[in-house]
Amino acid sequence: MPELPEVETMRRGIEPIVGSRIVSITRPACNRRPILISPSIAEIQDRTTGKRISRIGRRGKRILIELEDLQVLVVEPRMTGLVLLVEPPTPDHLRLRIALTDTVHDEVLFWDRRGLGTVRLLSGEEAATVLGTAKIGRDALDITANELRDQLSSSRRAVKVALLDQKHVAGIGNLYAAEILYLAEVDPRTRCDRLSKPQWARIHHAISEVLTEAIRHEGSTLSDGTYRNALNEDGGYQNYHRVYDRAGLPCPRCENAIIRRIVQAQRSTFFCPHCQRKSGRFHRS
DNA sequence: CCCCAGTCCTGCGGGC
DNA sequence: TGCCCGCAGGACTGGG
């Protein structure tokens, strides 16, 4: 499930196409339902043909393919979307083909097994609105400790649920929220407005620590094998998960407690009931 | 403001 | 062996 580290790995993977020109954007023959795309494929084709790609950016879990005329092609992989420079894992579920010239790669593909992903073409003005901080929060790797606390500390929601809300901080999903709160030694059920200043500092530190490490390992490829980088290769961070999907296994830190799974906002939360207590700041040696 | 349930979708694994 | 069902969850929406 692409979250910030996986999307950043995809972004870096397709960065070599900067400087190339778009020849065409087409939907491959695919008997699956087309992914959500706006505006129409015909209009996208019309507005992008011959345009040079000036930069590959990222905001939270979205990839931004920026064109020379300030238009932005926003790719949202969501659960199973992949951006690829090579042949996809399977020939079906190929949703979009972007043919290029003036580059070593003659195309970029968007492949999405479940088809929940989206592709949008925004004008420069639209991009300023849609990507403005009112709609999506600051990127999780850019947010400062003070900004994080300002954004969330008055909320009464559980901190795990609040971290998943992209309006506050962009890029954290279910897997990394669990790993972040584990490293920060914070109970995921704690209300934001009950967190102490040191706890916020630990969460902020854990956000950059976990996400940076995950990027270094090129993201997490889970057992379903869905996520891969732009060259269709597995990530490696799944070997370093400490709590995610590890219910029933001993905590790697205290080795006494057993990792628990609970449900918050209809999503699985994994945590160590010993290391991540609400009074966590008092038990550290 | 926040919460909850429903929506999209496919593949997988548990239970029988 | 096969079939059904539930689960996985990112983003969004409508109702309370």
Side-chain angles (χ1 to χ4, degrees):
Chain A
M1 60 190 89
E3 299 180 27
L4 189 150
E6 290 77 27
V7 177
E8 173 62 16
T9 305
M10 293 179 196
R11 187 198 72 76
R12 293 180 185 187
I14 65 166
E15 230 174 2
I17 69 170
V18 168
S20 65
R21 281 181 197 280
I22 293 175
V23 173
S24 66
I25 298 186
T26 51
R27 273 191 168 132
C30 168
N31 47 10
R32 312 278 175 169
R33 184 180 156 278
I35 49 144
L36 222 57
I37 191 166
S38 79
S40 68
I41 189 77
E43 188 178 337
I44 290 184
Q45 174 85 261
D46 199 54
R47 283 167 52 183
T48 59
T49 300
K51 298 283 160 59
R52 205 172 69 86
I53 294 170
S54 55
R55 184 169 169 263
I56 309 292
R58 182 187 57 75
R59 178 74 171 283
K61 304 172 194 172
R62 290 151 219 236
I63 293 174
L64 313 176
I65 301 176
E66 304 176 12
L67 307 185
E68 56 183 338
D69 61 358
L70 304 182
Q71 292 190 99
V72 184
L73 201 56
V74 182
V75 179
E76 233 182 282
R78 299 222 183 152
M79 292 300 292
T80 54
L82 297 183
V83 172
L84 295 159
L85 293 178
V86 297
E87 285 306 296
T90 62
D92 54 349
H93 303 112
L94 183 60
R95 312 285 177 156
L96 211 63
R97 189 186 291 276
I98 304 176
L100 304 169
T101 187
D102 299 344
T103 171
V104 288
H105 306 280
D106 30 276
E107 57 185 12
V108 185
L109 306 175
F110 183 63
W111 180 92
D112 189 351
R113 195 173 68 190
R114 284 168 64 179
L116 299 176
T118 66
V119 175
R120 284 177 295 169
L121 178 66
L122 306 176
S123 69
E125 303 82 67
E126 285 169 334
T129 311
V130 173
L131 304 173
T133 44
K135 301 238 178 185
I136 321 177
R138 195 175 277 286
D139 192 84
L141 282 180
D142 295 334
I143 198 164
T144 67
N146 284 340
E147 284 169 338
L148 180 75
R149 212 156 54 85
D150 288 349
Q151 275 291 312
L152 294 173
S153 62
S154 60
S155 169
R156 285 178 294 189
R157 311 162 90 176
V159 60
K160 151 70 163 32
V161 177
L163 284 177
L164 295 182
D165 189 337
Q166 306 298 301
K167 282 195 293 292
H168 303 302
V169 195
I172 299 169
N174 204 47
L175 191 161
Y176 291 102
E179 296 297 323
I180 286 163
L181 292 176
Y182 174 80
L183 185 62
E185 298 181 48
V186 169
D187 187 321
R189 299 165 293 188
T190 316
R191 280 168 45 157
C192 287
D193 60 357
R194 303 270 168 85
L195 285 166
S196 66
K197 212 170 168 179
Q199 284 178 312
W200 279 116
R202 294 212 303 272
I203 292 169
H204 179 260
H205 180 256
I207 287 173
S208 54
E209 195 73 15
V210 167
L211 297 180
T212 304
E213 269 302 279
I215 291 170
R216 206 166 69 75
H217 291 281
E218 302 210 319
S220 301
T221 298
L222 302 184
S223 53
D224 65 10
T226 300
Y227 163 73
R228 308 206 197 264
N229 69 14
L231 301 177
N232 194 22
E233 299 162 334
D234 285 4
Y237 195 67
Q238 65 278 4
N239 300 317
Y240 300 90
H241 294 173
R242 288 169 272 213
V243 282
Y244 181 77
D245 206 18
R246 295 178 63 84
L249 297 171
C251 165
R253 187 193 288 118
C254 72
E255 293 181 354
N256 274 324
I258 300 297
I259 303 300
R260 273 190 68 193
R261 174 189 177 270
I262 59 170
V263 173
Q264 292 180 285
Q266 299 145 269
R267 257 147 238 192
S268 294
T269 298
F270 299 91
F271 70 106
C272 171
H274 176 76
C275 297
Q276 295 171 265
R277 287 175 295 178
K278 290 188 181 163
S279 54
R281 66 199 133 123
F282 300 118
H283 81 270
R284 312 188 79 197
S285 51

